[in-house]
Amino acid sequence: MHNSLNRLQSVFGFFTTVAFTLGCLIALTDLWAERTPSGVIKATNTQVVKGRPHYYSSKKEEYAIIKFSLDADLSSLFTWNTKQLFVYVTAEWPAPEAGMNATNEAVIWDSIITNPSADHLVNLGPIGKKKLKASAGGKSIAPERGLLKLKNQKPKYQISHPSGKIASAEDVTLKVHYNVQPWFGLLTWNTQSDIGRWKSFAGGVSDQFSLPAVKVKDDKKKP
Amino acid sequence: MLSALGNPRQAAAQVLNFALVLSTAFMMWKGLSVVADSPSPIVVVLSGSMEPAFQRGDLLFLWNRNLLQETAVGEVVVYNVKDKDIPIVHRVVRKYGTGDEAKLLTKGDNNQADDTELYARGQDFLVRKDIIGSVVAYMPFVGYVTIMLSEHPWLKTVMLGIMGLFAILQRE
């Protein structure tokens, strides 16, 4: 029996199959695109201060403020299937109280870098959005946005520890990570080792350093 | 059109056919759930807190097994807050310690503050068992129909009616 409803149903069914297959093929092209992320990161200035977790808290905790310099080339991660690149810097240090090889890890800075194809989705005011769109110069893929040069960058997040103590922590390292958000397909992060055409991150880990002791408040500034 | 009702054998076949479609869909969902070890292996994004990566209505595929490595900082996870049944999709930004008891803190990419405010009273961190899966794959927009259905309940009735009608009227 072939009535119009039946035909409509099979057309819709065929459409979804084709769309899904096309999406999968597009996702597969990611594997052909070479990925050669690299970067150099260095902690430039560290400081530990005392503060409260929120305004109404009476508890005082130690917070580490780690400034850093980053010089990274993530341009190869931008392809036609890249919606956004999420770049983040973590600080990692051992957690002997939680076990032998236990570690603590916390994000100190992150950034959302959209491909121009996703610029219209960004959470910016109308002026900021216009500027961002103009910066693409009409292109839909902008590898140059993957070139990061940060000098003595202030961290976005001051990090602490559940115990409230972080001063004088030793063997701290900074590490650069990325997360590629596709338009369709698998989300991908730093690879541990080379996978096909995807090379593992060259560099991207800082030398080990120790956090200083709590900074003593300058009495002269206090009334 | 009503001949199906006149022929009980054919009517029974139609009903069975409809039941087969439903149970196939159900078993595929549960099978996926077993493979991914997650109670809900596919979720629809309901809020804009992870924009621009995920919009409302996008479909996410979850994986809840730690085969190669533990759930790490930077992964986008779906978690349930204690005693609340609303799954939230956010990114892990801090992890204190290692193993099942590691303390995890999450944050939405598009939010200013981390999720401490969203957690239950007295809950400062998540642990691994609060998480029902990490996002591994993404499909845009497909889940929007479920948002439509939950926001306009009458659509549900209409759709079920149409589906039932199709199943009954359809002949081999």
Side-chain angles (χ1 to χ4, degrees):
Chain A
M1 172 108 175
H2 293 284
N3 58 28
S4 23
L5 273 178
N6 262 334
R7 291 200 174 100
L8 201 71
Q9 202 176 15
S10 42
V11 165
F12 183 71
F14 188 60
F15 167 75
T16 50
T17 314
V18 169
F20 183 73
T21 312
L22 197 65
C24 290
L25 287 176
I26 289 170
L28 276 177
T29 62
D30 282 355
L31 296 171
W32 267 263
E34 210 143 0
R35 292 187 175 181
T36 52
S38 66
V40 177
I41 186 160
K42 198 172 78 192
T44 49
N45 185 336
T46 56
Q47 198 182 351
V48 176
V49 296
K50 283 210 158 196
R52 289 182 289 188
H54 52 90
Y55 190 77
Y56 298 105
S57 177
S58 54
K59 198 171 71 176
K60 282 230 165 181
E61 289 184 329
E62 294 170 358
Y63 289 92
I65 304 162
I66 305 171
K67 287 188 180 177
F68 64 94
S69 287
L70 172 66
D71 204 337
D73 178 0
L74 304 175
S75 52
S76 61
L77 303 176
F78 286 85
T79 65
W80 71 332
N81 193 26
T82 307
K83 188 177 185 184
Q84 72 161 32
L85 187 67
F86 186 77
V87 185
Y88 54 105
V89 172
T90 60
E92 197 178 326
W93 70 103
E97 72 282 356
M100 267 283 276
N101 292 312
T103 52
N104 299 314
E105 197 176 1
V107 174
I108 62 167
W109 179 86
D110 59 28
S111 177
I112 294 169
I113 307 172
T114 50
N115 219 6
S117 53
D119 278 353
H120 60 289
L121 301 169
V122 165
N123 180 17
L124 283 174
I127 299 166
K129 208 176 254 189
K130 217 172 192 177
K131 265 189 189 161
L132 183 67
K133 278 184 185 168
S135 75
K139 286 187 300 178
S140 64
I141 308 168
E144 67 276 6
R145 290 190 184 174
L147 296 171
L148 299 177
K149 274 199 201 329
L150 303 171
K151 285 244 150 33
N152 207 18
Q153 170 70 36
K154 244 170 66 178
K156 266 170 89 171
Y157 313 104
Q158 305 184 354
I159 54 171
S160 60
H161 186 269
S163 68
K165 301 249 175 296
I166 199 168
S168 314
E170 285 172 352
D171 302 335
V172 187
T173 51
L174 298 184
K175 198 174 168 191
V176 192
H177 306 253
Y178 65 81
N179 169 212
V180 179
Q181 168 68 40
W183 278 105
F184 192 108
L186 300 178
L187 277 77
T188 44
W189 283 263
N190 297 34
T191 54
Q192 301 290 331
S193 52
D194 296 355
I195 301 174
R197 289 170 176 246
W198 296 356
K199 301 283 173 278
S200 61
F201 209 110
V205 184
S206 77
D207 295 333
Q208 289 194 342
F209 58 93
S210 300
L211 293 178
V214 181
K215 193 184 174 194
V216 186
K217 277 231 175 86
D218 208 344
D219 282 4
K220 280 174 268 180
K221 275 186 191 164
K222 275 256 163 197
Chain B
M1 175 180 155
L2 289 170
S3 63
L5 298 176
N7 185 346
R9 189 180 289 268
Q10 203 184 349
Q14 303 287 16
V15 171
L16 276 179
N17 197 28
F18 189 50
L20 186 72
V21 170
L22 283 185
S23 56
T24 308
F26 182 71
M27 281 319 289
M28 272 170 75
W29 169 258
K30 282 296 171 191
L32 200 60
S33 186
V34 169
V35 172
D37 192 22
S38 170
S40 167
I42 300 176
V43 296
V44 176
V45 178
L46 297 177
S47 83
S49 59
M50 284 295 283
E51 276 181 13
F54 308 144
Q55 272 82 44
R56 261 163 71 80
D58 292 348
L59 216 59
L60 305 175
F61 294 81
L62 307 186
W63 184 253
N64 199 25
R65 292 180 192 274
N66 294 125
L67 294 181
L68 294 176
Q69 58 165 14
E70 283 187 16
T71 306
V73 168
E75 280 184 35
V76 183
V77 299
V78 178
Y79 66 89
N80 276 316
V81 172
K82 232 191 269 173
D83 308 324
K84 272 187 241 171
D85 209 23
I86 312 158
I88 299 174
V89 190
H90 278 174
R91 195 184 295 272
V92 177
V93 292
R94 285 180 196 188
K95 180 179 178 187
Y96 299 112
T98 306
D100 287 342
E101 290 306 306
K103 294 177 164 137
L104 304 168
L105 181 71
T106 52
K107 176 182 170 293
D109 289 355
N110 196 21
N111 291 353
Q112 283 297 316
D114 59 45
D115 290 352
T116 320
E117 295 290 314
L118 289 179
Y119 298 160
R121 197 172 271 272
Q123 182 183 25
D124 290 330
F125 295 98
L126 299 177
V127 289
R128 181 62 182 81
K129 69 173 186 351
D130 294 323
I131 291 172
I132 64 170
S134 301
V135 179
V136 288
Y138 167 86
M139 209 192 281
F141 198 66
V142 182
Y144 207 85
V145 63
T146 64
I147 292 183
M148 296 274 286
L149 286 179
S150 59
E151 281 179 2
H152 310 284
W154 56 270
L155 270 176
K156 236 181 263 182
T157 327
V158 170
M159 241 177 86
L160 271 178
I162 291 176
M163 264 163 68
L165 214 63
F166 260 107
I168 289 171
L169 296 184
Q170 204 172 44
R171 276 169 235 172
E172 303 301 315

